Amino acid sequence: MATLDFTKGKVLQVQGTGPQWIMANIDFTTALGAQGAAAASDVCQVISVPAGTFVHQVVCVVRTAEGGTQVADIGDGSDADGYMNDTDLNAAAGVADFGDSTDDAYIEQGGRYYSSADTIDITLITNGANTAIIDIYVQASYL
């Protein structure tokens, strides 16, 4: 298992008082360059979350399916599947996953407050990834 930095400078920079959205495009075909594909069990850090941020919602939209079985969890350094458990990265293009309030802790709680900095992470469960292209949307407020 490796920890891979896909953040590319993507930091939740929430300004003002209302919730705002940030999007990170994760292209597994090019993201790692010479390093090759992300492997099963790898943790892919996708968006940096500064201290003092409340994340309301995380959404995963498949743009290009992996082309083979690929299930992933979406969470953070405290709970790998806090936002989504077993989201399908091989779903048809355009399919969105919003998490499930019955088995995703942060969704069930209505979000998560970050008192210290962390990252939104994708943990690859079943296989590596080298074809999928996904968008991760995060809705957050700065408190």
Side-chain angles (χ1 to χ4, degrees):
M1 175 184 90
T3 299
L4 308 170
D5 185 358
F6 284 68
T7 59
K8 301 177 197 168
K10 289 192 175 50
V11 177
L12 281 172
Q13 295 180 341
V14 181
Q15 300 183 12
T17 57
Q20 298 173 22
W21 289 92
I22 186 171
M23 187 271 288
N25 175 266
I26 308 302
D27 184 342
F28 285 100
T29 66
T30 61
L32 296 177
Q35 297 177 51
S41 300
D42 281 355
V43 176
C44 307
Q45 298 173 325
V46 295
I47 297 177
S48 296
V49 180
T53 302
F54 186 87
V55 172
H56 303 272
Q57 178 73 46
V58 174
V59 178
C60 176
V61 179
V62 173
R63 298 298 176 196
T64 301
E66 177 59 30
T69 303
Q70 180 50 270
V71 175
D73 290 341
I74 300 178
D76 59 20
S78 297
D79 186 346
D81 63 0
Y83 293 106
M84 285 174 221
N85 183 40
D86 294 342
T87 193
D88 185 2
L89 300 187
N90 195 42
V95 170
D97 189 344
F98 296 84
D100 182 347
S101 64
T102 61
D103 67 353
D104 301 323
Y106 302 153
I107 302 302
E108 183 178 354
Q109 298 165 8
R112 178 166 191 262
Y113 175 72
Y114 290 86
S115 59
S116 59
D118 203 339
T119 54
I120 303 296
D121 305 329
I122 300 171
T123 303
L124 301 175
I125 303 300
T126 52
N127 292 300
N130 61 6
T131 305
I133 300 173
I134 60 173
D135 291 335
I136 300 294
Y137 295 88
V138 177
Q139 183 187 43
S141 299
Y142 187 75
L143 303 178

